[in-house]
Amino acid sequence: MKLEIGNFYVKDVAFGNETKFENNVLVINKEEALNYIREDEHITEADLIIAKPGENVRIVPVKEAVEPRIRPDGRPVFPGVTGDVEKTGEGRVHALKGVSVLGVGKHWGSFGDGLIDMSGEGAKYTLFSQTINICLVADTDEEYERYEQQKKNHAIRWGSHRLAEYIGRTVRNLEPEEVEKYELEPVTKRSENMQNLSSVVLVMQPQSQMEELGYNDLVYGWDMNKYVPTFMHPNEVLDGAIISGSFMPASSKWSTYDFQNFPIIKELYKEHGKSINFLGVIMSNLNVSLEQKKRSSIFVAQIAKSLGADGAIVTEEGYGNPDTDYIMCIAALEDIGVKTVGISNECTGRDGASQPLVTLDVKANALVSTGNVSEIIKLPPAEKVIGELQALARDGLSGGWAYDEILGPSVKEDGSIIMENNAMFCGDRIAGWSTKTVKEF
């Protein structure tokens, strides 16, 4: 399978009379775009607001991030979501780089929603302080979940995907500045030189714990709670086969933007044929019961062994209960002789002194941490808030609270905030973006 991603680099975004991309500037006809979004009858209020790096702007509650893209051949960018189920991972897709579409609640937040600061101390915690963000700020008629801590956020999340595809149309028939090419030979048809390199597989564990459908990540529009570990081509991940769900606390989340640009996959591609033989992706899942977790680890180990993997990287979307799947999978791979590295965040408590993962195993002896979800963060007021700041305190965002007997409320009267790292949108960058490091004292 050969995938070409044609990149168009966006230097600025503005509203204007015509939606177009010209001279590295994306112009959006705001009313036309909003009319397109309002075709979903469940969206009752909607606005588009542009947030740029360096602005004194705070965005909350953020539910989703999507890179604007389009396929010149007319296939949907997100099969099973923005159109019929079609194959991904080959052909050409055009991408607008340096910009993202954010789905933002106009009022109501949720357990899995997060916060983005576009400047100042808070900007270092999330990749999306570095992108120009087209914020779809919306409210919906999904009143049955309005006061629920855990929301599906269906209309806003899917509206974000539709808007990203709508904006992507601006470059459908243009020539990209750069074309990235991703191609892997069939596993059994590779050269002798390639076969002599260490064979490596990436094991991904997207969020799929919720047994009630609608909260989990989707693969080709299919709820991953119904999924079992499967060998996938990495191009499918980069090409819209998987979209983010609404369940996991924000700092641990893989947004759709993360899947579209998954850095670990891109790094493995760079080393393919040089230092490693990149076999592909074992797409696993995260489960609820111990029996389900064990079954998935057996599947993963069997696939890796059948492929002839010498090494593996395992990365999980989340923490807490998913740590069991994560560690069990690493141990199962080590048991069959596959040397395995794990990548995850950790939950060591506000004082940093607790056990980092819910469960551990001596076989999991090569772990990469992307940070502590419980780290306390204090940030000054922002000049402008997109969305509703009080959602951080009021609506059960993981990392925010209405009142703490020691720390008081998350949102102070002057607009400053105190929160756990949990609430930073995609803040731990488990997909491989992380710039965090360790300092020993």
Side-chain angles (χ1 to χ4, degrees), residues 137-319:
V137 186
D139 201 4
T140 76
D141 67 356
E142 295 160 326
E143 295 183 7
Y144 62 92
E145 66 178 18
R146 179 159 292 173
Y147 300 106
E148 295 292 330
Q149 182 184 26
Q150 187 64 58
K151 299 177 177 63
K152 297 178 182 179
N153 292 314
H154 183 278
I156 294 176
R157 288 193 298 116
W158 286 42
S160 303
H161 295 89
R162 294 181 64 240
L163 180 59
E165 190 172 88
Y166 173 87
I167 292 170
R169 294 174 188 172
T170 59
V171 296
R172 169 177 279 161
N173 299 317
L174 302 182
E175 283 300 313
E177 296 177 50
E178 172 192 68
V179 177
E180 300 175 40
K181 296 181 181 180
Y182 297 98
E183 185 174 15
L184 287 180
E185 312 89 329
V187 173
T188 60
K189 305 293 184 182
R190 297 182 182 177
S191 68
E192 183 177 351
N193 288 340
M194 186 74 73
Q195 298 285 5
N196 287 334
L197 296 171
S198 295
S199 295
V200 176
V201 68
L202 172 63
V203 180
M204 295 175 61
Q205 296 179 313
Q207 187 51 236
S208 52
Q209 285 181 285
M210 294 293 280
E211 293 183 334
E212 181 180 340
L213 305 185
Y215 297 98
N216 301 302
D217 295 356
L218 303 180
V219 55
Y220 288 98
W222 190 36
D223 194 298
M224 293 191 74
N225 183 259
K226 301 300 181 183
Y227 189 82
V228 295
T230 303
F231 182 61
M232 284 185 70
H233 198 290
N235 289 3
E236 293 177 280
V237 182
L238 297 177
D239 196 28
I242 301 181
I243 72 166
S244 177
S246 69
F247 171 61
M248 187 42 57
S251 73
S252 305
K253 186 189 292 291
W254 286 335
S255 68
T256 297
Y257 187 104
D258 286 304
F259 286 118
Q260 292 172 294
N261 294 279
F262 215 78
I264 301 171
I265 289 177
K266 291 189 175 184
E267 286 299 314
L268 289 168
Y269 256 117
K270 286 179 183 178
E271 292 302 313
H272 179 62
K274 298 177 184 176
S275 63
I276 63 168
N277 174 19
F278 180 28
L279 298 173
V281 173
I282 300 175
M283 190 61 65
S284 189
N285 54 352
L286 295 169
N287 304 281
V288 178
S289 74
L290 191 60
E291 179 183 293
Q292 291 170 328
K293 295 173 189 292
K294 187 172 184 179
R295 185 182 298 117
S296 287
S297 71
I298 291 170
F299 268 120
V300 169
Q302 176 274 123
I303 296 170
K305 186 173 183 177
S306 297
L307 289 170
D310 301 305
I313 297 172
V314 178
T315 180
E316 63 169 335
E317 182 186 8
Y319 70 93

Side-chain angles (χ1 to χ4, degrees), residues 8 26 47 61 64 121 172 190 212 277 282 367 372 402 404 428:
F8 298 80
L26 173 65
D47 194 10
E64 173 65 297
E121 175 70 10
R172 169 177 279 161
R190 297 182 182 177
E212 181 180 340
N277 174 19
I282 300 175
L367 300 178
N372 175 17
D404 182 278
D428 293 331

Side-chain angles (χ1 to χ4, degrees), residues 107-132:
H107 298 296
W108 307 103
S110 178
F111 177 77
D113 299 348
L115 178 144
I116 296 170
D117 270 6
M118 298 303 295
S119 67
E121 175 70 10
K124 72 181 183 183
Y125 289 96
T126 173
L127 170 74
F128 297 101
S129 64
Q130 303 168 34
T131 56
I132 302 174

